[in-house]
Amino acid sequence: MKFITRNTPLALLLMAMTSVFAQAPKEKVDGVVGVVGDFVILDSDIDLEYIQLKARGVDTNQITRCELFGKQLEDKLYAHQAIQDSIIVTDAEVNSFMDQQIDAMVEQVGSLDKVIAFYRKKNVDDFRSYFFDIIKNNKLTEQMQKKIIDGVEITPEEVRNFFKEIPQDEIPTFGAEVEVAQIVVKPVVSEEEKQKVVDKLRQIRQEVIDGSSFFSKAVLFSEDEASIGNGGFYKINRKTQFVKEFKDVAFSLDEGEISEPFETIYGFHIIMVEKIKGQEVELRHILISPKYTNEALKEAKEKIELIRSKIMNNEISFSEAAKASSDEKETKNNGGVLLNPRTLEPRFELTKMDPVLYGQISSLKDNEISQPILSEEKGIGKFYKIITVNNRMEEHKADFAQDYLKIKELALRDKQIKTIGKWTEEKIAETYIKISQDYKQCEFTNNWLKK
């Protein structure tokens, strides 16, 4: 299953830990350099920001401590206001996320003792307490930022005015783009194999009802790699980017209820709902995908070769063939045309295209059809596809009619930034803020010194 994730200090530090582990940082006195509401900022928090940036491969030579301190002040303001607004991040949510990150860190450097030594903590409890606060504050910050801009919308008139106000010499240039279409043929999984999976999930469901741990069953049997480590756990709402069938079942269950096996494009699932909190559901699930045979894969290749042959012989158009024969539900009714997941429009900017897809279309001429391509996706398995490029658009300056969706995205982002700026200005004025003498010479973007 595909999910959107947010980088965290723990995840970002994995690379840094590997490269600098043996070089213990010099000891220095750590002190409070700032206070925002109930939150304090330590000098070591700024050191941690530097390590995070280096872990991402960012050149930090041009980044000042004042800039990083300003970012810390912003983060603490968000977290402080999140608490004032009764935004809740549960200890269970933080601990679950922390366990995943610690496991990844241990796998990277070899042992938990090395991780603890790297952070110069006394023991496991000291280490977990330290990162518990970091993770919780990050999640509060994230949710507060989301709350600020969630209600921000933009009208067509605002988009038009935004574009008109861009000076001629600053109008953005959009890179070369292509429209791509594909036909997918998946190997047929026998009904017998599907029934085996359904029977297995029913057996697991009954064992959980009889007292077994759903967490343990998910670790042992689930094929959803993203959630195995935390026992199949997810927290979702109606807007979470899960497939419709999954959400329909999740929101139909009561607390403690376990679903019967049901099918999505990824395979068969069972869901157990743990908690319902307003519009959010905390659940665990187990995914098992039925397996296909080598013979079925061979038959899929033969089928797509036949489809390609008919298109090449002008017996049927690519679009018609997609509608009639493609196994990809998301694209078949649109003639096989792919939607860019970032913009939700049928155009891909070459410089921002997925490298695998770019490699598959880079040598194709307009309306040329690729040879059958064997592909594989997690949760779906192997399948064959053919690809064509419907049309290309060369690099060009933004045009309001032609590039409306991109311009709308820029205009919305601009409005969101202004909304956050106004919110920040208001909250700084009404929040207790103290800056240490060492940082009062900084030139901040926001009025942290309340001059």
Side-chain angles (χ1 to χ4, degrees), residues 10-238:
L10 289 172
L12 293 169
L13 286 172
L14 291 177
M15 193 190 316
M17 289 177 64
T18 303
S19 61
V20 301
F21 196 96
Q23 304 172 14
K26 293 181 180 179
E27 295 288 341
K28 69 176 183 178
V29 177
D30 194 14
V32 175
V33 294
V35 179
V36 179
D38 296 327
F39 290 90
V40 299
I41 301 169
L42 303 176
D43 213 25
S44 61
D45 293 332
I46 300 174
D47 295 333
L48 187 60
E49 287 280 353
Y50 271 114
I51 295 175
Q52 291 175 37
L53 292 172
K54 288 177 181 177
R56 294 194 199 105
V58 176
D59 181 2
T60 59
N61 291 329
Q62 303 302 316
I63 300 175
T64 67
R65 292 187 75 83
C66 285
E67 290 173 313
L68 295 186
F69 181 51
K71 179 181 181 301
Q72 286 285 332
L73 290 167
E74 288 180 18
D75 289 346
K76 296 300 185 286
L77 182 66
Y78 288 128
H80 170 74
Q81 193 59 43
I83 293 174
Q84 307 308 306
D85 289 2
S86 300
I87 292 175
I88 296 174
V89 175
T90 66
D91 289 358
E93 181 182 351
V94 175
N95 283 321
S96 175
F97 188 80
M98 182 190 293
D99 289 340
Q100 295 177 55
Q101 299 302 308
I102 290 176
D103 287 345
M105 295 168 76
V106 170
E107 182 178 347
Q108 187 79 10
V109 301
S111 73
L112 182 57
D113 288 340
K114 288 183 179 180
V115 175
I116 294 170
F118 178 83
Y119 289 102
R120 292 180 291 165
K121 298 304 172 185
K122 298 175 184 177
N123 49 45
V124 174
D125 290 340
D126 188 29
F127 171 73
R128 289 184 67 89
S129 176
Y130 173 69
F131 275 109
F132 182 94
D133 291 339
I134 290 176
I135 292 173
K136 186 162 188 174
N137 291 344
N138 281 346
K139 288 187 175 294
L140 286 170
T141 294
E142 184 181 78
Q143 291 190 34
M144 190 68 241
Q145 289 174 324
K146 185 175 182 294
K147 180 179 179 181
I148 296 168
I149 64 173
D150 256 359
V152 178
E153 297 179 345
I154 196 158
T155 65
E157 185 63 25
E158 288 176 309
V159 177
R160 185 175 291 105
N161 290 335
F162 169 81
F163 187 67
K164 285 181 179 178
E165 291 171 4
I166 301 176
Q168 282 296 314
D169 60 348
E170 294 181 17
I171 292 176
T173 297
F174 295 132
E177 297 176 317
V178 294
E179 181 180 296
V180 180
Q182 67 182 25
I183 296 173
V184 170
V185 174
K186 299 176 182 178
V188 176
V189 178
S190 69
E191 291 302 317
E192 181 183 0
E193 287 299 316
K194 289 183 179 181
Q195 191 59 49
K196 285 181 182 178
V197 171
V198 170
D199 291 343
K200 179 63 178 177
L201 286 170
R202 283 177 176 158
Q203 177 187 341
I204 292 171
R205 179 180 183 272
Q206 188 59 52
E207 288 173 356
V208 173
I209 291 173
D210 292 340
S212 294
S213 164
F214 197 103
F215 181 105
S216 299
K217 295 293 185 183
V219 171
L220 290 172
F221 298 107
S222 183
E223 295 174 9
D224 176 20
E225 294 181 9
S227 68
I228 288 175
N230 60 356
F233 179 83
Y234 286 114
K235 181 166 72 172
I236 68 171
N237 56 45
R238 290 285 184 182

